[in-house]
């Protein structure tokens, strides 16, 4: 299966996978309006791949077969403050356990 990949000009790290080059008929109009003008990135031959860096290949093929497209959103931003607070809380718990 060949897949055509486009990046969004409005949303960073957002990609649209379709089954036919420059054919967005299966993509809802509202999604296309949010996505912006698609910029062609590459063609992927999925049968030659076992995995992709940012996308579960099985989910990708299922969505393509069901809907005719797949939207790859950027990974969520890491909340560094939350991670720091969790580390601090764990350190306090560990100190409390060792002092007993």
């Amino acid at each position: 299966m060949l897949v055509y990949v486009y990046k969004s000009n409005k949303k960073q790290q957002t990609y649209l996978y379709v089954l036919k080059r420059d054919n967005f008929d299966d993509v809802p109009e509202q999604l296309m309006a949010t996505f912006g003008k698609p910029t062609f990135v590459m063609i992927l031959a999925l049968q030659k791949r076992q995995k992709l860096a940012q996308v579960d290949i099985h989910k990708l093929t299922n969505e393509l077969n069901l809907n005719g497209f797949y939207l790859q959103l950027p990974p969520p931003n890491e909340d560094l403050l939350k991670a720091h607070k969790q580390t601090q809380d764990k350190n306090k718990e560990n100190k409390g356990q060792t002092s007993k």
Side-chain angles (χ1 to χ4, degrees):
M1 173 189 289
L2 289 179
V3 178
Y4 300 86
V5 184
Y6 296 82
K7 69 178 181 177
S8 171
N9 71 339
K10 289 185 175 182
K11 305 276 185 182
Q12 286 187 330
Q13 297 182 18
T14 302
Y15 296 89
L16 186 62
Y17 296 70
V18 293
L19 294 170
K20 295 179 184 173
R21 187 166 184 162
D22 298 332
N23 184 339
F24 306 101
D25 293 344
D26 292 330
V27 183
E29 287 181 32
Q30 192 172 12
L31 175 58
M32 287 304 297
T34 304
F35 189 81
K37 184 176 187 223
T39 303
F40 179 74
V41 177
M42 71 177 109
I43 300 172
L44 286 176
L46 294 183
Q47 66 273 16
K48 295 182 180 182
R49 298 185 176 266
Q50 297 202 0
K51 64 180 187 173
L52 298 171
Q54 300 290 324
V55 178
D56 178 324
I57 199 161
H58 300 292
K59 184 175 182 179
L60 172 63
T61 54
N62 286 341
E63 290 291 321
L64 286 166
N65 289 325
L66 285 173
N67 302 317
F69 73 95
Y70 176 80
L71 180 66
Q72 176 187 329
L73 298 172
N77 290 333
E78 183 180 359
D79 187 342
L80 297 176
L81 179 59
K82 183 178 178 181
H84 175 71
K85 287 180 179 180
Q86 288 174 342
T87 302
Q88 295 300 314
D89 290 343
K90 286 180 184 177
N91 288 340
K92 286 178 185 177
E93 288 176 12
N94 290 340
K95 286 181 181 180
Q97 291 175 358
T98 57
S99 64
K100 289 182 181 179

